Amino acid sequence: MVLLDSSPLDERCLVTYSGKQLSLLDPDPTQIEPADIAHGLAYQCCFNGQTRYFYSIAQHSMLVAQLVAPQYRLAALLHDGAAAYLGELPQSLRQLVLEFQFVEKRLMAALGARFAIADFAAPAIRRAHQVALATEQRDLLAHTGGAFAGAEHSAPVPRRIEALPPEEAKYQFTELLAELLHKAAPSSSSGESKSKRVVAEKPRVAVGKTQSKGGQVLALASHNREWPATSPISG
């Protein structure tokens, strides 16, 4: 059951899945919850839904995290974290809406404060994002119209993507986030592990590695994580 904060609802706030009230214009890091990020990203489709089948921003984020060296994985997993609260605008429209860019930057700064991440756009993460786009373009889009800007020289990873249902993407994203938070900060000043506050809701569908006709699935399995058979991007 979702319990709302007892304070009066501010129309400028977003009431999240967990019941938090997050101001989009002045986001408070203490109102940002891993469960809300996982839920918001898992139930939003990449490419504004113009894909062969549903493919969540959460799964895209996991793919980018798979491609980078360990020190970048937490930031890579959360590099699209603002989309959990704001949705995702097409890049061409984003450039025209300066107010959206301002709000997005403030929200990403709040995410950085919440999870102690200084940079969501390190060169390694940007390159991994382009590799992910090239892979997704190959596996998910019926009509591409040419390579995405910045991805022209990025080769897709060999393994093919099989899209996860939202519930499973949410579960795997939450587990990976908990794991990475634990590695980044095993204990807080109070002695409590940060990852203990991140609880994955088990999906009604089975979680695990599956196979597709197109090749080995490029997705995280909850108990048997497989990283792409490529060198991690580290700089």
Side-chain angles (χ1 to χ4, degrees):
M1 180 173 64
V2 176
L3 298 177
L4 297 178
D5 293 342
S6 58
S7 55
L9 179 62
D10 188 330
E11 64 181 7
R12 295 168 299 180
C13 290
L14 175 72
V15 179
T16 70
Y17 174 76
S18 70
K20 296 288 186 181
Q21 293 186 25
L22 181 69
S23 169
L24 299 181
L25 300 181
D26 187 22
D28 179 357
T30 65
Q31 295 297 299
I32 293 175
E33 289 293 331
D36 295 328
I37 298 172
H39 186 83
L41 296 183
Y43 282 88
Q44 290 190 69
C45 190
C46 289
F47 306 107
N48 297 95
Q50 303 304 312
T51 52
R52 291 192 182 100
Y53 32 76
F54 182 88
Y55 176 76
S56 68
I57 301 176
Q59 188 171 354
H60 161 79
S61 299
M62 288 191 286
L63 173 55
V64 176
Q66 285 178 290
L67 294 169
V68 297
Q71 66 267 31
Y72 298 110
R73 283 180 187 153
L74 179 58
L77 184 66
L78 295 172
H79 78 282
D80 277 337
Y85 303 98
L86 302 178
E88 185 177 51
L89 284 182
Q91 190 62 32
S92 57
L93 181 59
R94 182 190 301 268
Q95 301 303 321
L96 300 176
V97 187
L98 297 180
E99 291 86 356
F100 181 87
Q101 295 181 51
F102 173 78
V103 172
E104 184 179 51
K105 287 180 180 178
R106 295 201 68 171
L107 190 46
M108 290 304 296
L111 282 163
R114 171 67 172 85
F115 298 109
I117 299 172
D119 188 5
F120 292 97
I125 297 175
R126 291 200 302 269
R127 283 197 290 275
H129 179 76
Q130 298 304 329
V131 173
L133 282 179
T135 306
E136 292 158 355
Q137 184 176 27
R138 179 195 67 194
D139 297 345
L140 301 169
L141 302 184
H143 304 285
T144 62
F148 291 110
E152 303 92 338
H153 306 294
S154 298
V157 299
R159 297 179 185 175
R160 302 190 71 86
I161 292 172
E162 182 167 305
L164 301 173
E167 285 186 332
E168 188 169 347
K170 176 182 174 180
Y171 180 77
Q172 293 191 23
F173 182 98
T174 304
E175 281 208 327
L176 181 57
L177 178 56
E179 176 186 314
L180 294 175
L181 285 173
H182 180 76
K183 289 179 179 177
S187 60
S188 65
S189 58
S190 64
E192 180 186 15
S193 169
K194 279 190 176 183
S195 64
K196 289 181 180 178
R197 297 197 295 269
V198 185
V199 179
E201 299 178 12
K202 290 188 177 181
R204 289 188 293 271
V205 296
V207 176
K209 187 176 68 175
T210 59
Q211 296 290 329
S212 69
K213 293 180 180 179
Q216 191 168 3
V217 171
L218 186 62
L220 290 173
S222 61
H223 301 295
N224 183 23
R225 304 192 190 283
E226 291 204 15
W227 304 94
T230 58
S231 299
I233 299 173
S234 60

